[in-house]
Amino acid sequence: GEYKDVFNHFDKDGDGKIETLEFSGVLQALGEEMSEDQIASLLTKLDKDKDGKLSFQEFIPYMEEKAKGADSKSEIVASFKILAGDKEYITDVDLGKAFDEKKAAYLKSVMPKHPTDGYDYVKWADT
C-alpha cells in the first residue's frame, strides 16, 4: 500500500533497494533534518542484511515508527502548508512544483477538493 508507494517513489533505479542517497530523499520528504553521518547511522541500524541498502522489508519498520509519531499528522499538514505557500489548500501548480507527475496525480486523486480552490490537504491528513 502506502509504504510500498513511498518506497517505489524513492527507489529511483528500480532495483528494489534504497541506497543512502535515495534514503536521504525519503528523510527529507518526511521533514527529517539529519546530517550525512546521522543518515548513515540510521541506515546501518535498519539494514538487517548489512548490504548497505534498504530492502522494502527493512524499510517498513522505519515507516511504521514514523507513522506512530504523535505529531505525524501535524508534520504532514505543516509540510503541505509550506508547499502551498501558507494557503489552507494546495493547487495543481503547487503540487506540480513539489512532486513528480505520478505523485502529484496520486495526491490529486486522494485529496478532497477545497471549497476555495485546489485540494484540501488538512482534511486529507485527517483520514
Side-chain angles (χ1 to χ4, degrees):
E2 185 184 339
Y3 297 154
K4 189 70 174 163
D5 291 344
V6 171
F7 184 87
N8 290 339
H9 176 75
F10 287 98
D11 178 19
K12 296 294 183 204
D13 56 8
D15 67 351
K17 299 273 186 162
I18 291 184
E19 286 92 49
T20 307
L21 191 63
E22 293 167 332
F23 188 52
S24 171
V26 172
L27 296 172
Q28 274 185 322
L30 293 171
E32 294 282 355
E33 297 291 325
M34 289 188 182
S35 69
E36 283 183 35
D37 290 345
Q38 290 170 310
I39 293 168
S41 162
L42 180 57
L43 188 72
T44 302
K45 191 177 95 180
L46 296 169
D47 181 18
K48 300 297 180 215
D49 64 3
K50 304 298 174 214
D51 66 350
K53 302 174 181 182
L54 290 184
S55 67
F56 180 61
Q57 291 307 315
E58 293 166 333
F59 179 72
I60 293 171
Y62 175 76
M63 289 303 289
E64 287 174 341
E65 192 57 41
K66 271 306 284 177
K68 271 196 292 198
D71 57 357
S72 59
K73 177 196 169 240
S74 61
E75 284 175 8
I76 291 168
V77 171
S79 298
F80 273 95
K81 193 171 177 100
I82 292 166
L83 296 176
D86 246 13
K87 299 182 300 288
E88 293 298 315
Y89 56 87
I90 193 159
T91 64
D92 285 323
V93 173
D94 298 329
L95 287 168
K97 284 183 196 164
F99 300 99
D100 66 36
E101 208 173 311
K102 201 170 131 192
K103 187 71 175 169
Y106 166 75
L107 288 168
K108 289 182 218 176
S109 75
V110 295
M111 282 186 179
K113 289 268 191 209
H114 189 277
T116 312
D117 186 22
Y119 303 88
D120 191 334
Y121 59 85
V122 178
K123 225 180 235 166
W124 173 72
D126 253 342
T127 56

